[in-house]
């Protein structure tokens, strides 16, 4: 029997947003973490060159896997055999690959709640069990080593995400090390989603590979490299798992898109352009953090990285999906309902993505201030 999984409600919000746009409304898309900055110029130029000169085929670029391995050496001081880097259709496919190739059906996989919608649903789609650990503001909505140590029975695996979606919070190095230690002691395999590395406003991010060499690492060109529609990501697998992972990737996905691989190789050296993008998101973050008190939103997780703000709107609603739809209809600002990321507490949270342009952030704030004030007034009136 196929597994029942929840829809990604933000997609539903986005569909309405596009309908409204088609009717001529001005829409600001803050529902997805999709960079508004374009793919690096060098990546686009490389793609043009290849299109004009190379018929292409099923292919995994050894130049790109070697370049990614070099990135681990330079950024984290971790030495990889380039064969450990498996190119995939985005982090989404890398996550499917990591889980499917490592765990049997029925395996218990722990994860933070709130967490990225696809963790819970991919685990379920693969007939495994999602073990959600409730993480509140006290632990900045992040997993702790203690929570993993206390979990009985020990899960087969854990998905760690830092910076996290929907909060942007980062696990400090000592907590990453402590999580690695608990997992080593309890024989828990780690899948570390590092898709938001590079998008950090609070100093460098550390890779779980620095603490747990047997971890499976999921990453992508979608965020820092600003190439989400090119659908290219990667999995770093330990040597002991390589043959199985290669068998799975070959059968489930064949290869990642060839054109994207050529472009991504050029993107990896576009550092000044990419850091310019980070500066845009840093500015957007500042603007939105400054505006939150004017929206009456004080209960937020401090977004150390990524491009999200996870805000408690419990004083205004107990139905975040209806709230997001109303906000969209009234102001044209699309956001993601908390229920996507937390099926329990998410009824009173929403997620803003500040991956849009800076003028769009400014305009969204301008539209939302009176709207939130009206909602607060409504909520304070007796029913
Ligand atoms: C935490 C996280 N992991 C994985 C993904 C999937 O990314 P992609 O398949 O575009 O690489 C996303 C997308 O937003 C994400 O937020």
């Amino acid at each position: 029997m196929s597994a029942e999984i929840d829809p990604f409600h933000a997609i539903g919000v986005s569909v309405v947003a596009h309908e409204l746009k088609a009717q001529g409304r001005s829409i600001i898309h803050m529902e997805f973490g999709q960079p508004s900055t374009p793919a690096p110029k060098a990546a686009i130029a490389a793609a043009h060159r290849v299109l004009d000169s190379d018929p292409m085929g099923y292919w995994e670029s050894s130049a790109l896997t070697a370049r990614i391995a070099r990135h681990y050496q330079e950024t984290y001081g971790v030495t990889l055999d380039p064969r450990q880097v498996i190119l995939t259709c985005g982090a989404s496919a890398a996550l499917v690959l990591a889980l499917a190739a490592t765990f049997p059906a029925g395996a218990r996989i722990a994860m933070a709640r709130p967490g990225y919608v696809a963790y819970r649903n991919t685990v379920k789609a693969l007939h495994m069990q999602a073990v959600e650990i409730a993480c509140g503001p006290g632990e900045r909505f992040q997993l702790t080593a203690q929570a993993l140590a206390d979990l009985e029975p020990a899960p087969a695996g854990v998905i760690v995400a830092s910076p996290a979606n929907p909060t942007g919070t980062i696990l400090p190095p000592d907590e990453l090390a402590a999580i690695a230690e608990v997992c080593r002691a309890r024989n828990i395999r780690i899948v570390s989603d590092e898709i938001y590395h590079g998008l950090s406003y609070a100093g460098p991010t550390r890779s779980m590979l620095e603490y747990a060499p047997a971890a499976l690492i999921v990453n992508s060109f979608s965020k820092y490299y600003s190439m989400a529609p090119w659908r290219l990501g990667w999995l770093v697998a330990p040597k002991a798992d390589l043959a199985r992972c290669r068998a799975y990737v070959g059968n489930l996905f064949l290869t990642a898109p060839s054109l994207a691989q050529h472009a991504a190789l050029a993107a990896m050296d576009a550092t000044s352009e990419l850091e310019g993008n980070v500066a845009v998101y840093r500015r957007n973050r500042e603007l939105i953090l400054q505006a939150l008190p004017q929206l009456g939103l004080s209960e937020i997780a401090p977004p150390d990285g990524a491009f999200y703000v996870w805000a408690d709107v419990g004083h205004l609603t107990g139905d975040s999906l209806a709230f997001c739809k109303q906000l969209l209809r009234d102001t044209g600002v699309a956001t993601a309902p908390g229920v996507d990321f937390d099926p329990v507490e998410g009824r009173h949270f929403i997620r803003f993505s500040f991956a849009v342009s800076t003028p769009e952030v400014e305009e969204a704030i301008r539209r939302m201030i009176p709207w939130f004030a009206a909602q607060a007034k409504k909520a304070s009136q007796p029913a």
Side-chain angles (χ1 to χ4, degrees):
M1 203 168 69
S2 63
E4 284 295 325
I5 61 172
D6 298 324
F8 192 168
H9 294 290
I11 296 177
V13 173
S14 197
V15 168
V16 178
H18 283 283
E19 281 166 9
L20 292 173
K21 200 172 193 165
Q23 292 162 20
R25 290 278 307 276
S26 152
I27 300 298
I28 302 172
H29 287 282
M30 300 177 91
E31 74 276 36
F32 292 139
Q34 174 158 292
S36 53
T37 46
K41 289 187 191 65
I44 294 171
H48 279 297
R49 274 195 308 276
V50 170
L51 278 175
D52 288 337
S53 62
D54 182 345
M56 293 188 285
Y58 292 126
W59 179 60
E60 182 173 73
S61 164
S62 53
L64 183 56
T65 53
R67 180 66 187 82
I68 292 172
R70 197 181 106 204
H71 169 73
Y72 279 85
Q73 188 72 62
E74 290 171 355
T75 312
Y76 309 114
V78 169
T79 306
L80 291 181
D81 180 334
R83 282 173 302 184
Q84 289 178 257
V85 180
I86 303 174
L87 300 177
T88 57
C89 303
S92 304
L95 181 68
V96 172
L97 176 61
L99 292 168
T102 310
F103 303 101
R108 298 171 70 251
I109 311 296
M111 62 196 71
R113 194 189 72 222
Y116 178 48
V117 58
Y119 298 154
R120 165 170 39 99
N121 288 323
T122 306
V123 162
K124 285 188 192 165
L126 293 171
H127 299 279
M128 298 168 193
Q129 292 178 54
V131 180
E132 296 183 305
I133 301 179
C135 301
E139 50 277 358
R140 303 162 72 251
F141 301 98
Q142 270 286 9
L143 280 182
T144 60
Q146 192 58 53
L148 272 176
D150 292 344
L151 195 61
E152 289 298 346
V158 61
I159 301 176
V160 177
S162 172
N165 180 359
T167 58
T169 54
I170 290 178
L171 284 165
D174 56 344
E175 196 61 40
L176 283 176
I179 289 173
E181 187 45 46
V182 169
C183 290
R184 201 167 14 247
R186 304 194 78 197
N187 200 22
I188 303 170
R189 290 299 306 271
I190 301 173
V191 177
S192 180
D193 184 347
E194 303 185 352
I195 188 170
Y196 292 104
H197 277 214
L199 289 165
S200 163
Y201 317 103
T205 34
R206 309 301 343 153
S207 172
M208 186 55 99
L209 272 185
E210 296 172 59
Y211 310 96
L216 294 128
I217 309 295
V218 168
N219 209 323
S220 168
F221 288 91
S222 291
K223 310 295 178 177
Y224 175 70
Y225 296 99
S226 221
M227 294 177 68
W230 297 73
R231 308 307 304 131
L232 187 64
W234 70 88
L235 176 72
V236 178
K239 284 188 182 156
D241 293 312
L242 262 188
R244 206 166 352 93
C245 288
R246 289 272 170 210
Y248 270 75
V249 80
N251 282 286
L252 296 184
F253 305 112
L254 280 180
T255 55
S258 292
L259 187 63
Q261 296 180 52
H262 286 287
L265 183 60
M268 289 196 79
D269 290 319
T271 310
S272 65
E273 201 178 334
L274 294 169
E275 288 303 311
N277 294 347
V278 178
V280 170
Y281 300 125
R282 185 186 294 279
R283 176 74 188 129
N284 291 356
R285 173 182 177 273
E286 276 163 18
L287 288 171
I288 201 150
L289 288 181
Q290 275 162 19
L292 287 174
Q294 291 168 274
L295 302 180
L297 303 179
S298 53
E299 302 293 318
I300 61 142
D304 312 321
F307 23 52
Y308 305 115
V309 172
W310 177 243
D312 191 336
V313 290
H315 57 300
L316 303 176
T317 188
D319 182 348
S320 56
L321 181 57
F323 187 82
C324 287
K325 286 184 176 164
Q326 196 60 48
L327 173 62
L328 170 63
R329 272 191 293 269
D330 292 347
T331 67
V333 178
T335 52
V339 283
D340 271 337
F341 310 96
D342 183 338
V344 181
E345 300 295 334
R347 287 173 292 107
H348 56 88
F349 281 87
I350 65 171
R351 188 197 72 178
F352 298 98
S353 161
F354 53 85
V356 290
S357 69
T358 304
E360 284 178 306
V361 171
E362 287 164 340
E363 176 60 16
I365 291 168
R366 202 188 57 71
R367 293 183 197 177
M368 287 194 296
I369 288 173
W371 190 85
F372 272 85
Q375 302 309 304
K377 197 167 165 201
K378 226 191 285 174
S380 67
Q381 280 160 3

